[in-house]
Structure formats: structure tokens, C-alpha cells
Amino acid sequence: MVKSRGEGEEEEEEKKMEGINHRRVEVNGIGMHIAEKGEGGPIVLMLHGFPELWYSWRHQIIGLAAKGYHAVAPDLRGYGDTDAPSAISSYSIFHLVGDIVDLINVLGQEQVFVVGHDWGAVVAWHLCLFRPDKVKALVNLSVAYRPRNPAAKPVDYFKALYGDEYYVCRFQEPGAVEAQFASANTKQLCKWFLKFCDPGGLFIPKEGLVLPNDESSLPAWLSEEDLNYFTNKFEKTGFTGGLNYYRCVSSNWELLAPWTGAQIKVPSKYIVGDLDLTYNYPGIQDYIHKGGFKQAVPFLKDVVVMAGVAHFINQEKAHEITEHILDFVKQF
């Protein structure tokens, strides 16, 4: 049985959080907020997913810095205290990867270690596809690299598989989901997302989003303070920046045509929870475990499946993920 954190543990965590430094840097034409801790050691750059923030890596920042690494976690384009361009086209995979390449340069590095989760993993895979020279080694969580299928656009694939109410499909129409989210309580919405653990998939009804009247306690890995941090940021920014990543999925498929069949040739480790919806797509487990993944990522060194763990793995199993990262990057 997992025990909730006591007051002493929470106070100690708060003290460690106070040691995380924050600054804004100019990258790729936008202002980007980064959180960092540790000086002088190798940089580990951590990229968050939807609907998250740099804060999703709070435990890894502390843990990696304690082991001599310089841990860096940005708010990605469109999130938190980083600029959010208004044009949907400003969220293409080229923009997202361009931000990270420029950030690596701004940090004064030729190469860094990279860790990604969810959309951050997608950005990290494509960083390695476009600019493998910038990445010493990669640890990706949740989303496996899938080579471009020239016969099927991703949104069409998800619609055929799950129907129009699947979240990727519902996110396509500008303004529609934002209106539903705006009518909801942001704190309950953030809680719903972060507690989501249905491997069958995430669905958003067209007739309206009905959030559960959820007065249940938070999971042990998510404190009220944590939930409030996410809530306060998304109350200020809304969700459009993150939703625009999904709205570029089809155009990205077109833009990525020159890389059809290309392999990712960076030393990589992949970690996923067995309750993660991304680990339960039809055919994905055979792809991951029976050679397809290794063919697409020939320097894939390790695949870890964590039992009983859902999507937000870097928060749900914070210490274990930090140890997995350390075990891998110390080899290089």
C-alpha cells in the first residue's frame, strides 16, 4: 500500500523546489521559460507532454542535480510561461524541434542528454531524426517512435480506429474543445487529465464534456499543491497552445514525407506503463517487442514496461524514472 506523503516530507520537497532556478531565454523567435538545477555537469534536457509543464519533471530535476547533472526542463512552445504564437502553423514539428535545437545552442552545448514524455517524446524522437548530432543519448517515456506510414494520415487512422470522439480527432477543430474546457472548472479538468488511467483511450463527447464530480482524494504522487500549480498556469493560458500540436499532426505527416523509412540512430531507452493508452493501441505491443521498434530505432538499448502504471509515468513513479534515466545516461 502506497502511503501519502507526510508533512515533513512535503516540507523537505518544498525546500528542494526552492533550489530550482527559473529564467527566460530567446529561442527560435520566441521567449522560452526554463527551470534548471545543477551547474557544471552534463545537461539532461527534459521535454514535457500534454497537458503539462516543466513542473512535470520537478522530481527528476532534483534527483538528477543531486547526482551531478545539470537538469533543464522548459515550458514548451504554447505552454506555461513560454510564448504561445497564435497561428496553428507555428506548432509544426519543425518549429517544435527548432526550439529545442536553439535551446541546446543557447545553453552553450554541442550535445545533451534528452528525456521526453508524451508530446515531449514525439519532439525528442524527431530531434534525433533531424539532428542526431545534438543528442548524446535519449530516454523516452510513453510514446514509442512509429515510422511514417505513407498510406494513412494519423488523424484518419485514429478516426477509423476509435471514432470521431477520440481525443486526437476532437482536438482538430479550432475553438471547439476550448469552449468545452472553458465551461469546465479548470482544477477539476486538470485533475481529470492527470488522474486518467483508462488504457482503452481518452474520449471527449461532442455534446459536451461532463467531468465527474470528483471529490475523491488525489493519488499519492499528486499533492494539492501540485494540482494547484497546473491549475493556476492553465487558468492563465488556456489549452490552445497544447491543442495546436494535435492540429498540426496531418500537416506534419505531409512535411515528414522526405523522412519516410528513415531510422533514428541515437542510443535510446524506452519506458512505458502497461496501463498507458499509448501501450494499448492495436498492434503496438507486437511492434515494440517483436522487432519493429528495434528496426526503426536500431540503437534502442532497453525497453521497460512498468506494471500497474498509467500515462503520467514520470510523476507517478518519479523515483524509479529518475533512476532509469541515471542508469542509462551514465553509460555515455
Side-chain angles (χ1 to χ4, degrees):
M1 182 177 178
V2 178
K3 294 181 179 179
S4 299
R5 289 181 293 178
E7 290 184 7
E9 290 173 295
E10 290 184 355
E11 288 176 4
E12 185 66 25
E13 189 78 6
E14 287 176 12
K15 289 178 183 177
K16 291 178 180 177
M17 287 286 288
E18 289 173 0
I20 297 176
N21 298 312
H22 299 266
R23 60 184 169 122
R24 275 177 66 87
V25 295
E26 294 296 318
V27 299
N28 198 22
I30 64 170
M32 174 175 277
H33 164 250
I34 64 172
E36 58 188 334
K37 186 176 176 65
E39 294 182 5
I43 287 180
V44 181
L45 180 59
M46 293 170 282
L47 311 179
H48 68 79
F50 175 90
E52 299 181 83
L53 302 161
W54 75 269
Y55 192 84
S56 300
W57 300 107
R58 58 198 177 279
H59 304 295
Q60 286 76 33
I61 292 174
I62 294 166
L64 292 169
K67 295 295 185 179
Y69 290 88
H70 180 181
V72 181
D75 283 332
L76 296 182
R77 173 182 292 242
Y79 284 93
D81 295 319
T82 289
D83 291 349
S86 58
I88 293 172
S89 60
S90 295
Y91 294 83
S92 78
I93 195 63
F94 292 149
H95 289 84
L96 303 178
V97 172
D99 293 346
I100 304 308
V101 171
D102 210 8
L103 176 58
I104 294 169
N105 294 335
V106 167
L107 293 170
Q109 304 296 305
E110 290 296 321
Q111 280 190 323
V112 298
F113 295 111
V114 177
V115 183
H117 171 251
D118 187 76
W119 260 104
V122 176
V123 175
W125 286 126
H126 287 87
L127 170 65
C128 294
L129 185 66
F130 302 153
R131 293 297 304 272
D133 58 304
K134 305 302 286 185
V135 184
K136 291 180 186 177
L138 170 70
V139 179
N140 258 348
L141 315 178
S142 182
V143 178
Y145 177 69
R146 299 292 298 271
R148 179 182 184 273
N149 180 357
K153 288 187 176 182
V155 175
D156 294 341
Y157 166 79
F158 284 121
K159 188 173 292 188
L161 198 60
Y162 293 114
D164 292 339
E165 294 187 343
Y166 191 64
Y167 75 104
V168 175
C169 306
R170 289 284 290 115
F171 286 176
Q172 294 304 309
E173 183 183 347
V177 169
E178 285 96 328
Q180 289 188 343
F181 287 177
S183 65
N185 178 289
T186 304
K187 186 171 184 176
Q188 290 287 8
L189 186 60
C190 289
K191 186 177 182 180
W192 178 65
F193 272 124
L194 292 168
K195 288 183 66 175
F196 185 82
C197 58
D198 183 354
L202 177 63
F203 297 87
I204 300 177
K206 289 186 176 182
E207 61 269 18
L209 182 65
V210 179
L211 294 175
N213 186 14
D214 192 355
E215 299 299 331
S216 62
S217 61
L218 293 170
W221 55 268
L222 186 69
S223 71
E224 195 72 25
E225 182 184 14
D226 297 334
L227 181 60
N228 287 339
Y229 188 91
F230 287 107
T231 300
N232 291 338
K233 292 299 180 183
F234 282 107
E235 280 181 341
K236 292 177 182 176
T237 66
F239 293 87
T240 297
L243 293 169
N244 283 341
Y245 287 49
Y246 294 91
R247 292 167 183 154
C248 286
V249 165
S250 291
S251 57
N252 286 340
W253 178 83
E254 297 175 3
L255 293 169
L256 288 167
W259 286 271
T260 301
Q263 295 174 309
I264 290 178
K265 296 183 177 180
V266 170
S268 303
K269 180 173 185 172
Y270 172 70
I271 310 170
V272 67
D274 66 351
L275 299 181
D276 195 321
L277 75 170
T278 68
Y279 188 64
N280 289 276
Y281 295 145
I284 188 69
Q285 293 180 26
D286 281 349
Y287 168 77
I288 289 172
H289 299 294
K290 295 184 178 180
F293 196 10
K294 180 72 172 178
Q295 183 176 354
V297 188
F299 300 146
L300 180 66
K301 305 295 186 182
D302 197 10
V303 171
V304 177
V305 180
M306 301 181 74
V309 182
H311 183 65
F312 296 98
I313 190 169
N314 48 327
Q315 298 183 74
E316 186 174 348
K317 294 294 180 182
H319 175 74
E320 291 91 331
I321 293 299
T322 300
E323 290 301 311
H324 276 299
I325 294 168
L326 287 167
D327 287 347
F328 192 62
V329 301
K330 71 183 182 183
Q331 300 175 37
F332 302 93

